Amino acid sequence: MSQAWDFDKIIDRSQQNSDKWGKYPSDVIPMWVADMDFDSPQCIKDALIQRIDEGVFGYTYASKSLVSSIQGHCQTRYDWVPSAAHFVHLPGLVCALHLAVRALTEAQDRIIVPSPVYYHLTKAPEMSDRKLDRIPFVLKGNRWSVDLKTFEESCNKADAKMILLCNPHNPGATVYTQQELSAIHAIAKRHDLLVVSDEIHCDLILNDARHIPFASLNEDAAQRTITLMAPSKTFNIAGLGYAFAIIANSKLRQRFNQAREALIPAPNLLALVAAEAAYRDGQSWHESLLEYLRGNLHYIQERIAGTSIQMAEHEATYLAWLDVRAYQLENPHDFFVKAGVGISDGAGFGAPGFIRLNFGCSRSQLEQAMNRILIALESKS
Ligand SMILES: Cc1ncc(COP(=O)(O)O)c(C=O)c1O
């Protein structure tokens, strides 16, 4: 297929009120929050323009054709077709994490979360008076994965009620295998726990792993799982605001919906239009994006070879998880900002001494950032 997309193109985002580009002074390259600096696919822009030209923007429901486009996507990519009746449409995924915890567990219940992890998975229990058990990710070979023994010990506690999974895992870039998911499911079943599975990064797999939705494992998994997905990371439309939950268990769905109704608005109508176009027509852009990201990942791996930066196997996401503990930086975030690169500090995810570097950007920007990072670290060694 010809490369119709120009991921090398530099787009000036400095005047767009972008969270990513507004955080630091203009001489700092922002490589932190999980959005990419690429143009979204043309099919999304065309669909939005067409809808804007229609000119009336009243209350809008999620259409059957949106659901069909998501089902088609799920069938092609994960061999799993969630039933249309099980969808809950949402303006974002973070609110769904918090809502699931509040609607489906009680104060003082225990929530189990493999960690270090995207901070809303730990904030959701912390902000709602639940107990939180962080289960450490450990290196198995050269791959981050959850320590199942500690996991089971926590799940065995009498007040344990829910597991929050992030698959693929952010940060750490692990795609859970069938074997790992089955082991987690067996534990969830043994201790009768609900599972909230945040799968927002599931279409950003960079090696030959396959994403397996937790709910697709078997009927028992489907009945105890709230699956959360969104097109926002894959198609770079986080600012439009759309995510969806799949909840097969009607009682859980009812409780989730009851709590949602009064507090969380329906998704923005343009977000619905964009999501449908993305899932229906965005495949060739998506495949080209993955190729470009693989190139960026390879570039990082080459640049850090021979340095004291450690990076485990990277399976998914455009977020490199770099272990810079060898440099004993007092404050890695400030150190790298001073060097001219705005990274996410691992401490924010529960892993001081690590940094998360967003490589969803042009190769030339990545090159510049890596030059700055390596020059700054050289001065420390
Ligand atoms: C694992 C994970 N979940 C959720 C989100 C954010 O979801 P949303 O923007 O739909 O609220 C992110 C953003 O980085 C993420 O990495």
Side-chain angles (χ1 to χ4, degrees), residues 34 92-94 97 118 121 166 170 198 200-201 232-233 243:
L93 198 142
V94 164
L97 285 170
Y118 175 65
L121 276 87
C166 186
N170 167 32
D198 175 342
I200 198 168
H201 294 282
S232 47
K233 301 291 163 202

Side-chain angles (χ1 to χ4, degrees), residues 148-333:
L148 285 170
K149 189 166 169 285
T150 323
F151 195 84
E152 173 117 42
E153 278 162 16
S154 273
C155 292
N156 191 26
K157 293 178 187 167
D159 51 3
K161 289 286 153 40
M162 180 181 270
I163 296 166
L164 294 186
L165 275 191
C166 186
N167 183 30
H169 196 80
N170 167 32
T174 297
V175 178
Y176 285 101
T177 62
Q178 171 96 37
Q179 207 182 5
E180 287 166 331
L181 291 173
S182 299
I184 293 171
H185 169 252
I187 294 172
K189 188 174 176 190
R190 239 183 333 270
H191 304 291
D192 195 19
L193 305 183
L194 296 175
V195 177
V196 175
S197 188
D198 175 342
E199 302 182 7
I200 198 168
H201 294 282
C202 66
D203 292 323
L204 292 164
I205 295 183
L206 302 183
N207 68 357
D208 53 9
R210 216 180 114 243
H211 176 68
I212 303 170
F214 190 84
S216 74
L217 285 176
N218 53 51
E219 186 51 27
D220 180 83
Q223 287 300 322
R224 61 178 71 251
T225 301
I226 290 84
T227 304
L228 303 175
M229 290 181 168
S232 47
K233 301 291 163 202
T234 314
F235 297 100
N236 210 28
I237 49 176
L240 287 169
Y242 173 67
F244 58 93
I246 307 285
I247 312 177
N249 181 307
S250 58
K251 289 205 179 90
L252 294 178
R253 194 168 62 251
Q254 201 181 10
R255 279 163 64 194
F256 185 86
N257 268 331
Q258 256 168 11
R260 176 190 60 83
E261 259 170 15
L263 293 174
I264 296 183
N268 179 302
L269 80 89
L270 294 179
L272 298 171
V273 168
E276 178 173 342
Y279 284 124
R280 195 188 51 225
D281 300 325
Q283 289 84 352
S284 65
W285 182 91
H286 181 200
E287 291 305 329
S288 305
L289 168 77
L290 294 177
E291 266 319 295
Y292 195 86
L293 292 176
R294 285 179 190 119
N296 277 359
L297 172 63
H298 189 60
Y299 177 79
I300 295 174
Q301 287 164 332
E302 277 185 350
R303 291 298 306 270
I304 65 173
T307 73
S308 299
I309 303 176
Q310 302 294 323
M311 183 183 181
E313 200 171 317
H314 184 103
E315 298 189 299
T317 78
Y318 47 79
L319 306 162
W321 186 232
L322 305 176
D323 178 352
V324 294
R325 285 176 296 184
Y327 297 93
Q328 301 188 331
L329 307 173
E330 205 172 297
N331 182 329
H333 175 263

Side-chain angles (χ1 to χ4, degrees), residues 17 36 52 100 135 177 270 318:
N17 301 328
M36 302 187 283
I52 286 169
I135 310 302
T177 62
L270 294 179
Y318 47 79

